[in-house]
């Protein structure tokens, strides 16, 4: 059965890229847990994204850092029955003091599965690296 090794290679490169992005997300969350500061933000707008899998909410928030500077951010959070968000409500966030635009919801940072992006990313990089290796070997 013929195989399109160019397509396999391109898919593998995309998978490796996504795996590296997951690893980056883990390092970003780790930096926020280690160096971040808590802040309360006001939700300015809530947009439901029901077609995303899993369904998500896009939250536009405004907050003030310790020096008093006002910032805005857009967060994508899961749309679950456990967390209901409405415009005008407050949400607990953590921001990085050196990069105040880098924020995450407190619930996500304190989640028990906060290491899952690292494991997912490493697994994706390893598996898709194997596929890329096989595709390159077949094209020689």
């Amino acid at each position: 059965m013929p195989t399109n090794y160019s397509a396999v290679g391109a898919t593998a490169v995309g998978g490796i890229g996504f795996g590296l992005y997951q690893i980056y997300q883990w390092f970003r969350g780790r930096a926020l847990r280690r160096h971040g500061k808590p802040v309360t933000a006001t939700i300015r707008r809530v947009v439901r994204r029901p077609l995303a899998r899993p369904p998500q909410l896009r939250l536009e928030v405004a907050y003030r850092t310790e020096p008093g500077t006002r910032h805005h951010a857009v967060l994508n959070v899961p749309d679950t029955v456990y967390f209901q968000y409405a415009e005008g409500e407050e949400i607990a966030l953590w921001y990085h003091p050196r990069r105040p635009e880098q924020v995450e919801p407190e619930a996500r940072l304190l989640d028990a599965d906060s290491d899952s992006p690292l494991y997912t990313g490493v697994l994706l990089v390893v598996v898709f690296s194997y596929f890329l290796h096989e595709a390159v070997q077949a094209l020689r």
Side-chain angles (χ1 to χ4, degrees), residues 3-139:
T3 302
N4 185 345
Y5 288 104
S6 298
V8 170
T11 302
V13 168
I16 291 169
F18 184 69
L20 292 174
Y21 175 74
Q22 291 292 314
I23 294 169
Y24 164 76
Q25 289 289 61
W26 179 81
F27 276 110
R28 182 179 169 195
R30 181 176 169 223
L32 276 175
R33 282 190 295 276
R34 191 175 275 177
H35 305 291
K37 304 237 183 233
V39 67
T40 302
T42 303
I43 299 173
R44 297 288 182 207
R45 187 170 175 216
V46 178
V47 178
R48 292 204 179 285
R49 300 177 57 205
L51 298 180
R53 291 290 171 238
Q56 293 190 345
L57 296 173
R58 182 173 182 254
L59 304 178
E60 296 176 12
V61 298
Y63 59 97
R64 289 189 186 277
T65 57
E66 279 184 358
T69 309
R70 189 169 178 82
H71 294 276
H72 299 275
V74 176
L75 305 170
N76 290 312
V77 298
D79 187 6
T80 65
V81 295
Y82 301 110
F83 297 106
Q84 298 296 320
Y85 301 100
E87 294 177 12
E89 287 186 354
E90 293 186 340
I91 182 174
L93 302 177
W94 282 64
Y95 73 94
H96 197 288
R98 292 190 192 144
R99 295 177 295 279
E101 68 282 350
Q102 184 180 4
V103 295
E104 286 289 336
E106 184 177 66
R108 184 180 294 166
L109 285 179
L110 302 179
D111 185 13
D113 295 331
S114 60
D115 286 337
S116 65
L118 176 65
Y119 303 136
T120 303
V122 169
L123 180 65
L124 287 172
V125 168
V126 168
V127 168
F128 281 110
S129 292
Y130 170 76
F131 287 136
L132 182 61
H133 176 278
E134 291 297 315
V136 168
Q137 292 298 320
L139 289 174

